[in-house]
């Protein structure tokens, strides 16, 4: 199985069904959309070990908790491929991130809802609340969290998608750029701290800005090309 291969629509349905059968009342609410938001957060911020975040998706990820070893391996394969989709999405050269939505209805009357995605993202923050505090308190970055938390709350602060569609969609349209800003903020922080997931980086050349053209001449940004701090596949 190629873990870099994106899931098909059928495989996404299969992964969601596995979540529902293994963890019907789990943190992800058996929702592939919420899972996408959750994984986006896991990929974006401070390191979280798979042994910590996988149980948020499947209760009992140990192979012995499944009916067969093949079922366990199949489920983990789908999950890790979905994780890699998120990584690839965040590494896109155009810096444009695609948020997974829940579309209700069809045609002109269809509603694009992002509340479940946002709840998944916020749940990821809760796993590393202390580490995320520095990002949440950053004056320049903190506004990027506002639309995500507002959509996740889906209460008085959130415009009603039916009664206030323009206001609601205005929040939705902010989310992709906010996600990228948060992701890049953490990448820059890792470089400033001279660490990549806890491993020291010994700089032998002058510091290169993550957004500067890569010295190799590829024409891409340094953070997307030769930087040792780029997102790993």
């Amino acid at each position: 199985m190629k873990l870099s291969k994106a899931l098909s629509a059928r495989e996404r349905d299969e992964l969601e069904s596995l979540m529902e059968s293994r963890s019907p009342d789990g943190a992800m609410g058996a929702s592939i959309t919420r899972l996408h938001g959750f994984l986006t957060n896991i990929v974006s911020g401070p390191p979280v070990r798979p042994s910590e975040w996988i149980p948020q998706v499947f209760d009992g990820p140990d192979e012995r908790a499944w009916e067969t070893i093949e079922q366990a391996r199949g489920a983990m394969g789908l999950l890790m491929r979905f994780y890699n989709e998120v990584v690839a999405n965040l590494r896109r050269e155009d810096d444009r991130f695609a948020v997974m939505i829940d579309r209700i209805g069809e045609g002109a009357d269809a509603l694009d809802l992002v509340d479940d995605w946002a709840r998944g993202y916020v749940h990821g923050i809760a796993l590393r609340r202390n580490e995320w505090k520095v990002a949440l308190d950053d004056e320049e970055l903190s506004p990027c969290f506002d639309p995500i938390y507002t959509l996740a709350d889906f209460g008085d602060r959130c415009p009603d998608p039916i009664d206030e569609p323009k206001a609601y969609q205005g929040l939705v349209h902010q989310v992709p750029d906010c996600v990228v800003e948060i992701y890049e903020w953490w990448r820059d922080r890792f470089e400033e701290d001279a660490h990549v997931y806890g491993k020291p980086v010994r700089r032998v050349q002058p510091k290169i800005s993550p957004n500067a053209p890569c010295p190799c001449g590829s024409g891409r940004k340094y953070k997307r090309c030769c930087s040792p701090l780029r997102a790993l596949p």
Side-chain angles (χ1 to χ4, degrees):
M1 177 188 297
K2 293 183 63 176
L3 293 180
S4 60
K5 184 179 180 182
L7 297 185
S8 64
R10 180 188 61 78
E11 288 172 324
R12 289 185 180 186
D13 289 342
E14 181 180 353
L15 177 56
E16 192 169 52
S17 294
L18 285 167
M19 291 166 59
E20 185 174 7
S21 63
R22 299 303 308 181
S23 309
D25 301 317
M28 294 301 102
S31 166
I32 195 76
T33 308
R34 187 176 300 187
L35 175 59
H36 189 271
F38 176 68
L39 293 179
T40 299
N41 179 271
I42 296 300
V43 172
S44 297
V48 181
R49 293 186 298 271
S51 60
E52 295 178 79
W53 65 258
I54 289 178
Q56 303 294 315
V57 183
F58 294 123
D59 290 337
D62 190 290
E63 290 181 350
R64 291 170 297 178
W66 295 78
E67 294 179 5
T68 65
I69 292 178
E70 289 74 18
Q71 185 188 46
R73 290 176 177 172
M76 292 304 130
L78 291 173
L79 178 58
M80 295 314 298
R81 283 170 60 195
F82 197 49
Y83 173 94
N84 284 337
E85 277 189 56
V86 174
V87 174
N89 197 353
L90 281 166
R91 293 180 63 193
R92 287 176 57 174
E93 291 297 327
D94 59 6
D95 285 342
R96 187 65 182 171
F97 182 76
V99 173
M100 182 172 286
I101 62 174
D102 288 314
R103 176 158 291 172
I104 309 299
E106 298 180 358
D109 295 328
L111 288 177
D112 290 342
L113 303 179
V114 185
D115 53 299
D116 225 19
W117 183 95
R119 290 188 185 109
Y121 192 97
V122 170
H123 184 77
I125 292 177
L127 292 185
R128 286 289 186 274
R129 189 176 300 280
N130 290 338
E131 290 90 335
W132 274 96
K133 188 176 186 304
V134 65
L136 291 163
D137 290 344
D138 185 275
E139 290 185 3
E140 293 186 2
L141 187 68
S142 59
C144 291
F145 294 97
D146 290 343
I148 298 174
Y149 270 100
T150 299
L151 290 164
D153 178 60
F154 208 61
D156 294 338
R157 291 180 57 207
C158 186
D160 188 283
I162 297 177
D163 296 335
E164 304 171 272
K166 289 185 178 180
Y168 182 87
Q169 292 304 319
L171 288 175
V172 172
H173 291 157
Q174 293 179 47
V175 172
D177 288 337
C178 289
V179 167
V180 172
E181 285 294 319
I182 295 169
Y183 171 79
E184 298 296 357
W185 186 92
W186 280 105
R187 305 279 78 71
D188 291 346
R189 184 174 177 83
F190 292 151
E191 182 164 351
E192 290 171 0
D193 293 344
H195 284 77
V196 179
Y197 298 113
K199 298 180 181 179
V201 175
R202 295 176 175 82
R203 192 182 305 281
V204 296
Q205 295 179 337
K207 180 177 178 179
I208 303 172
S209 171
N211 291 311
C214 187
C216 75
S218 66
R220 293 186 294 175
K221 295 179 182 180
Y222 177 61
K223 66 188 177 185
R224 302 290 190 186
C225 192
C226 295
S227 170
L229 302 168
R230 65 191 185 279
L232 299 178

